[in-house]
Amino acid sequence: MNERKTDVLVVGAGPAGLSCALELARAGAGEILVLDREKKPGGVPRLCKHQGFGIRDLHRVYSGPGYAETLLKKALAAGVQVLAETTVTEWAGEKRVFVTSPRGIEAVSARAILLATGCRERPRSARLIPGYRPQGIFNTGSLQDFVHGYGKKVGTRAVIAGAELVSYSAIHTLEKGGCRVLLMATEFERDQVYFPYTPYKWWSARLHLGIPLVTNTRISNIFGKDRLSAVELENVKTGETRRVDCDTLVLTGDWIPDHEFSRLGGLEIDQGTLGPAVDGFLRTSREGVFAAGNLLRGAEPGDAAALEGRHAASSIAAYLEKGGWPKERVKVLARDPLLWVLPNFLEPGSHVLPRGRFLFRVKEFVRGGRLSVTQGGKALFEKRFSFLGPNDSRSVGGSWARDVRPGEAVSFSLE
Amino acid sequence: MEPYDLAVVGGGVVGCAVAREASKYELSCALLEAKADVGAGTSKANTAIWHTGFDAKTGTLEQRLLARSYMLLLDYVPDRGIPHEKTGAVLIAWNEDQLASLEGIVEKAHANGVADVRLLSVEEVYELEPHVNRDALGGVMVPGESIICPFTVPLSYAYEAVMNGARLYREFPVGKIEEDGGVHVLSGPGGEVKARFVVNAAGLNSDVIDGMFGFDRFHVTPRRGELIVFDKLSRPLVNHVLLPVPTERTKGVLVSPTVFGNIMVGPTAEDLEDKEATCTSKAGLEYLWAKGEAIVSKLMKEEVTCTYAGLRAATEFKDYQVFSHPEKRYLCLGGIRSTGLSASLGIAEYAMELLAEAGLSLEEKKEFRKVRMPYIGQKEKRPYQSEEKIREDPDFGRVVCHCERVTLGEIRRALRSPVPPGTLEGLKRRTRCMQGRCQGFYCSADVAHVFQTEAQKEDHPGEASHE
Ligand SMILES: Cc1cc2nc3c(=O)[nH]c(=O)nc-3n(C[C@H](O)[C@H](O)[C@H](O)COP(=O)(O)OP(=O)(O)OC[C@H]3O[C@@H](n4cnc5c(N)ncnc54)[C@H](O)[C@@H]3O)c2cc1C
Ligand SMILES: Cc1cc2nc3c(=O)[nH]c(=O)nc-3n(C[C@H](O)[C@H](O)[C@H](O)COP(=O)(O)OP(=O)(O)OC[C@H]3O[C@@H](n4cnc5c(N)ncnc54)[C@H](O)[C@@H]3O)c2cc1C
């Protein structure tokens, strides 16, 4: 078996992985190898034909493919090695992995590893939607691949489940694929697209195409033996159902980190994010292994993932230089109705955080709330919010984190 | 066209096994299947347990054929490379009544010739299965119960049948059977086939086909079984097939590993009218969820990979509905309800005995071509893990379906198998592609593309079957 050695191995060539690699190469951190299992590197943006990428990291507006290509070019120019069609399959030692590619099976050892394997949308099965299993059911990801990747038509009349940012992007993809959108359905009382993205929503759904949004509603049954023929919509408040004839269903959002490789490595998984638990330096529970991007907690905009990748780069550079892994870490807990808080650990005395802040999400709408952070009985931080909504990440500054002491967990709660 | 010596109606696991058995002899055989692929009915949607028959009703035909089939499969399964794992089963009692019935279960198993079945103390149960809920009271060990790949078994039979001369007609729903001077004329929208002998292996429609011969003696009531399959990351939670204490009506809801490395919970048992109602239901999934919660609650925190439902060909009778009519040159293999996968080889062997008695002459062929099936299980090496395979053909290093690590090489090979998949569904059953945790989020467009472009190439079908 071929043995390969490198200073840093990056698993996943999406915005997070490529940005980290680029930053490390620029800092002269040694040999940087990025592996991606897809035929082309670049991650999810490769298939997002619309504009809206790169604003906060590259300070320009790119289309998804343009953004992916730019990141890749920059990384290659800086001396990063990027190999596509190369799947990281198994752990083969502390900082050694097996990979499969058309070249054969190789073992790759590194001094540090970044996991940036992204996330995906839950399929129909994981949402426990009963019914038949016909053709015509997509996630936004597979839909993009059919329409943008292969130029295929998908159907003629679609229902979109979900009303968050990605759901509105599905409208455009369906339109490209020759498919009319009949309606969007969300289990919540309203859509989940908030300032500053509201104009995008209006443009996408109402003004542009006149698509109705059905609220408090979920998909409760699927009909059609070969091809989808109809879905049943259920009002989650009243239990009332109705049938809508359609031949295409797009299940959007409901993200889950692609944590398989993290779990296989025995990395601690945070129960809120379902990604590998990380501290402010994006260090996981396993020495020398870092994580960044959507793997950490599901989908954020590409530039947010890229900035996390950069942040991981500075932590990795420091680790390569000085070594060391924190022995004592304090757990960060998210109390109901908070869904998760990132990072999931803190090193006492340090307030280094990705993008200088804590990121969090709530499960439900909260109108007029106070976020408070405590450790033991001690209040560390407080902030008022007039409005918080699900399927949207919010952030708070974290300079107060330097007051965190060893021992008890730090708890985020909302009142 | 010369009439076939034998026509088998139905290409499920039973019909394929019969066609394969028949292809060992110097006779012409047609296998007629209504759908676009073999094994696409009940045979694709079961619990995939390789039963010993320890709990079957003693003395029934089902029990006898299960016992015989088990022995036959012991040779066949490893020889053909069919994914399986000798997990053994642990039957668990959760209340006093169930605990009291365990001894009877062991006695019955012994009466059925399954001699290694024994009682387990509650401590032993937890030693074997440390993750099950803490309120078990005792159990029974059934070392022989195993898990097997439900897709590969009928395919293996069908491949061998075709490789040895049987003719497979797909999309051939038999709608009418008429006698014409000593030959049966089987016809339908797919055309017409003539045969001297007919075997009815039509599963859910076995009563309908039986009716075409003028009988009205059993009725199939589809008994739906729904299942939930959990993510492979949950596999360490369960070591054996976890069986409940069975009731009169069903084997009950079990929790079992699959050969693909998942854990599944199911099946339910619900009598329906529609023979095509292979849909899951809200009530069914909720029921299974509650059952899973009561057996291994840790499992319910894992992600669900898939849900599905299968229909058992249940009749008003408990036993298989097997009838031979030499005067009509007709054999009925009906009502093979909930053990057909395990009993298939036994049923096929018995079918040939009955056909011989009915006057079909059986002269063994000099040579029988065996198949070696592509391995799609979790336990042994797959192509993506094999340096030699990738060196041979770099496409075995091109992973297309990431969750199940299915390579382009495997997809190509499946498309050139003795029975190439007619549909994407068929490709899934042959390779596992799109059957993993993302259910096609990443690969469905790629797989659809490969399927279209490769299927058009039409290499030499049949060449890729010998590994
Ligand atoms: C429909 C849709 C629309 C979007 N629209 C926008 C938008 O308008 N603007 C915006 O800013 N963001 C948008 N996003 C979000 C953006 O695409 C993501 O945030 C970004 O791609 C995340 O980057 P990442 O590097 O974390 O993960 P990804 O881009 O998902 O990259 C992960 C990579 O890891 C690889 N990988 C995984 N496992 C392995 C393994 N075992 N071995 C090798 N490689 C592996 C994958 O192949 C993949 O290439 C959108 C996302 C979607 C799905
Ligand atoms: C939920 C569930 C769990 C089970 N678990 C197990 C288990 O763990 N172990 C086990 O051994 N067994 C199990 N079984 C039972 C097993 O799956 C069946 O006994 C077996 O698949 C029956 O095979 P078959 O060939 O008789 O029927 P089928 O697989 O239904 O095949 C019959 C075929 O005939 C075709 N057909 C019908 N009508 C016509 C026509 N007019 N013309 C042409 N073709 C026709 C159909 O399309 C079909 O392909 C389970 C069953 C279910 C439903």
Side-chain angles (χ1 to χ4, degrees):
Chain A
M1 190 188 320
N2 190 24
E3 278 279 348
R4 220 185 248 269
K5 281 201 165 45
T6 181
D7 290 298
V8 182
L9 167 66
V10 175
V11 184
L18 287 175
S19 302
C20 175
L22 168 63
E23 214 56 24
L24 283 166
R26 281 185 175 159
E31 219 177 286
I32 320 292
L33 175 64
V34 185
L35 304 180
D36 199 287
R37 63 192 186 180
E38 294 294 342
K39 280 205 277 296
K40 287 202 183 118
V44 169
R46 276 182 312 120
L47 296 166
C48 301
K49 280 271 160 84
H50 55 276
Q51 299 290 316
F53 286 82
I55 300 166
R56 284 172 293 184
D57 61 331
L58 303 181
H59 310 294
R60 247 194 67 184
V61 185
Y62 290 90
S63 72
Y67 179 59
E69 199 159 306
T70 304
L71 287 178
L72 180 64
K73 275 199 185 131
K74 282 178 192 262
L76 293 173
V80 172
Q81 198 186 358
V82 183
L83 296 177
E85 260 192 336
T86 305
T87 306
V88 179
T89 58
E90 241 178 284
W91 292 90
E94 275 307 307
K95 283 179 271 179
R96 183 165 172 265
V97 302
F98 287 139
V99 310
T100 291
S101 75
R103 299 177 303 278
I105 296 173
E106 293 169 279
V108 181
S109 319
R111 293 169 57 214
I113 296 180
L114 175 78
L115 302 179
T117 52
C119 67
R120 61 188 165 82
E121 295 160 291
R122 280 195 177 81
R124 169 263 176 104
S125 49
R127 302 173 192 224
L128 290 179
I129 304 175
Y132 287 93
R133 297 174 44 175
Q135 304 266 308
I137 305 174
F138 299 86
N139 285 124
T140 326
S142 55
L143 177 74
Q144 291 191 146
D145 211 357
F146 272 101
V147 174
H148 296 317
Y150 288 102
K152 293 230 164 83
K153 297 262 178 264
V154 287
T156 57
R157 287 158 304 131
V159 165
I160 295 178
E164 55 184 285
L165 211 44
V166 66
S167 324
Y168 289 88
S169 89
I171 297 177
H172 301 285
T173 313
L174 284 165
E175 205 191 22
K176 263 267 154 48
C179 189
R180 197 157 65 86
V181 181
L182 303 177
L183 60 87
M184 299 177 81
T186 173
E187 294 185 28
F188 292 103
E189 66 210 47
R190 53 157 284 186
D191 62 74
Q192 302 104 57
V193 178
Y194 316 101
F195 181 80
Y197 297 104
T198 5
Y200 175 71
K201 169 181 78 183
W202 291 331
W203 175 69
S204 296
R206 306 241 168 73
L207 303 180
H208 186 50
L209 298 154
I211 296 165
L213 172 66
V214 192
T215 55
N216 296 318
T217 296
R218 69 165 164 231
I219 311 295
S220 52
N221 210 341
I222 289 174
F223 304 96
K225 279 169 193 172
D226 295 318
R227 178 78 202 191
L228 180 68
S229 61
V231 296
E232 183 187 75
L233 303 182
E234 182 187 32
N235 185 305
V236 293
K237 293 252 159 78
T238 64
E240 257 172 82
T241 60
R242 71 177 164 113
R243 216 172 136 125
V244 176
D245 292 342
C246 61
D247 60 10
T248 306
L249 171 66
V250 187
L251 300 169
T252 67
D254 198 358
W255 305 94
I256 171 148
D258 248 312
H259 59 205
E260 178 191 30
F261 196 65
S262 310
R263 284 187 67 180
L264 292 177
L267 270 59
E268 184 176 332
I269 300 293
D270 182 77
Q271 287 314 301
T273 59
L274 297 181
V278 289
D279 65 12
F281 293 86
L282 296 180
R283 297 177 291 204
T284 69
S285 61
R286 181 165 170 157
E287 192 193 327
V289 179
F290 299 76
N294 288 347
L295 166 65
L296 295 175
R297 36 77 252 270
E300 293 291 326
D303 51 6
L307 291 172
E308 280 167 349
R310 280 191 197 167
H311 182 71
S314 58
S315 307
I316 292 172
Y319 171 74
L320 290 177
E321 205 174 301
K322 299 196 275 290
W325 209 251
K327 283 185 194 62
E328 171 122 49
R329 288 201 282 201
V330 171
K331 183 86 193 130
V332 177
L333 298 177
R335 302 252 179 242
D336 226 34
L338 289 163
L339 189 60
W340 52 255
V341 176
L342 197 81
N344 324 94
F345 290 125
L346 291 170
E347 188 180 13
S350 153
H351 65 288
V352 172
L353 293 167
R355 296 163 60 206
R357 55 187 98 160
F358 285 91
L359 209 60
F360 67 91
R361 277 192 182 201
V362 289
K363 289 179 182 157
E364 60 205 43
F365 289 100
V366 179
R367 292 189 174 81
R370 190 168 47 119
L371 178 79
S372 64
V373 186
T374 55
Q375 187 184 27
K378 191 175 164 227
L380 294 174
F381 177 76
E382 235 184 53
K383 185 172 177 179
R384 294 202 153 276
F385 284 93
S386 56
F387 174 84
L388 294 169
N391 291 328
D392 179 40
S393 299
R394 298 290 286 268
S395 61
V396 288
S399 53
W400 49 267
R402 72 167 79 85
D403 300 332
V404 169
R405 300 278 159 258
E408 268 178 277
V410 169
S411 163
F412 277 66
S413 51
L414 262 176
E415 280 127 51
Chain B
M1 198 176 140
E2 270 289 291
Y4 288 93
D5 292 315
L6 176 67
V8 180
V9 183
V13 72
V14 172
C16 291
V18 172
R20 170 188 170 273
E21 199 66 31
S23 74
K24 289 181 178 170
Y25 302 98
E26 297 288 354
L27 55 84
S28 59
C29 172
L31 176 59
L32 312 178
E33 168 53 50
K35 296 189 203 286
D37 199 6
V38 294
T42 301
S43 298
K44 75 164 185 201
N46 51 50
T47 324
I49 311 292
W50 176 3
H51 293 298
T52 53
F54 78 98
D55 59 346
K57 193 160 190 288
T58 313
T60 56
L61 183 63
E62 178 178 30
Q63 184 251 315
R64 206 183 88 209
L65 295 181
L66 266 174
R68 174 67 185 150
S69 194
Y70 189 83
M71 304 311 290
L72 292 171
L73 285 167
L74 278 182
D75 285 334
Y76 188 80
V77 167
D79 190 59
R80 304 309 199 267
I82 295 170
H84 67 288
E85 279 178 51
K86 294 271 175 89
T87 52
V90 175
L91 187 149
I92 303 175
W94 299 97
N95 61 40
E96 291 295 336
D97 284 349
Q98 293 178 355
L99 188 64
S101 70
L102 296 186
E103 269 184 45
I105 291 173
V106 173
E107 273 165 32
K108 185 179 188 183
H110 292 173
N112 286 351
V114 190
D116 55 0
V117 174
R118 63 185 164 86
L119 285 175
L120 292 174
S121 69
V122 68
E123 292 76 26
E124 287 175 302
V125 169
Y126 285 121
E127 213 166 281
L128 294 167
E129 292 293 344
H131 298 290
V132 301
N133 293 1
R134 301 314 286 183
D135 39 3
L137 298 179
V140 169
M141 178 74 205
V142 191
E145 293 279 295
S146 299
I147 57 176
I148 192 164
C149 174
F151 310 124
T152 307
V153 174
L155 284 172
S156 172
Y157 297 157
Y159 287 8
E160 287 190 338
V162 168
M163 284 158 58
N164 290 287
R167 170 86 191 267
L168 170 66
Y169 292 79
R170 294 192 259 187
E171 297 184 331
F172 196 106
V174 173
K176 201 160 77 181
I177 303 178
E178 286 166 323
E179 171 84 31
D180 178 15
V183 257
H184 299 290
V185 183
L186 302 97
S187 59
E192 187 182 281
V193 160
K194 292 181 180 164
R196 290 174 43 234
F197 285 79
V198 171
V199 172
N200 170 6
L204 292 164
N205 281 335
S206 52
D207 55 347
V208 178
I209 299 290
D210 203 44
M212 293 181 194
F213 286 91
F215 297 106
D216 181 16
R217 51 189 163 187
F218 66 92
H219 302 94
V220 173
T221 305
R223 183 169 297 163
R224 179 165 62 187
E226 300 180 44
L227 292 113
I228 302 180
V229 179
F230 285 83
D231 194 289
K232 289 180 168 185
L233 291 163
S234 66
R235 180 64 180 83
L237 292 176
V238 179
N239 301 319
H240 303 78
V241 179
L242 304 182
L243 300 172
V245 171
T247 64
E248 261 298 285
R249 220 167 75 83
T250 86
K251 290 176 179 292
V253 173
L254 48 85
V255 177
S256 171
T258 73
V259 292
F260 313 114
N262 304 84
I263 299 293
M264 71 175 148
V265 178
T268 55
E270 179 192 2
D271 287 341
L272 302 175
E273 268 161 32
D274 182 356
K275 286 180 174 176
E276 289 179 33
T278 53
C279 46
T280 52
S281 68
K282 182 165 181 259
L285 297 179
E286 281 171 359
Y287 175 80
L288 290 178
W289 201 265
K291 282 282 180 186
E293 193 72 65
I295 300 169
V296 204
S297 56
K298 280 183 197 168
L299 180 61
M300 312 325 273
K301 299 211 165 56
E302 299 288 343
E303 292 289 314
V304 170
T305 288
C306 160
T307 61
Y308 65 91
L311 301 174
R312 305 170 186 87
T315 70
E316 56 274 56
F317 306 102
K318 290 247 153 68
D319 208 353
Y320 294 169
Q321 297 298 295
V322 174
F323 307 100
S324 177
H325 297 277
E327 74 292 356
K328 295 194 186 229
R329 301 173 316 283
Y330 166 58
L331 173 63
C332 174
L333 303 174
I336 316 279
R337 181 178 55 168
S338 51
T339 48
L341 174 62
S342 309
S344 51
L345 277 191
I347 295 171
E349 188 189 66
Y350 182 52
M352 293 321 286
E353 276 170 42
L354 293 173
L355 288 169
E357 278 169 22
L360 182 66
S361 81
L362 300 184
E363 185 194 327
E364 218 165 311
K365 281 181 189 158
K366 283 198 200 66
E367 200 201 1
F368 181 77
R369 296 177 67 199
K370 290 180 178 181
V371 74
R372 181 79 192 167
M373 296 302 285
Y375 187 77
I376 58 171
Q378 176 89 348
K379 202 174 163 217
E380 284 159 37
K381 246 191 188 181
R382 290 262 311 280
Y384 82 87
Q385 295 164 307
S386 158
E387 279 207 89
E388 302 105 74
K389 274 247 170 285
I390 302 175
R391 208 174 309 121
E392 216 174 88
D393 179 356
D395 281 352
F396 286 116
R398 293 202 159 84
V399 179
V400 178
C401 162
H402 299 296
C403 303
E404 296 295 308
R405 309 252 165 88
V406 183
T407 61
L408 183 58
E410 287 163 282
I411 293 176
R412 286 233 169 96
R413 182 172 61 186
L415 292 170
R416 280 180 280 132
S417 66
V419 181
T423 60
L424 264 181
E425 293 299 311
L427 184 65
K428 285 189 190 177
R429 285 193 291 277
R430 283 163 180 77
T431 61
R432 289 291 295 159
C433 66
M434 301 194 284
Q435 302 232 58
R437 60 172 64 88
C438 90
Q439 295 277 299
F441 174 89
Y442 290 114
C443 75
S444 55
D446 291 334
V447 172
H449 177 73
V450 174
F451 182 68
Q452 267 180 7
T453 48
E454 290 287 319
Q456 280 162 4
K457 287 190 197 158
E458 289 215 20
D459 278 289
H460 309 285
E463 293 225 322
S465 60
H466 309 278
E467 279 195 62

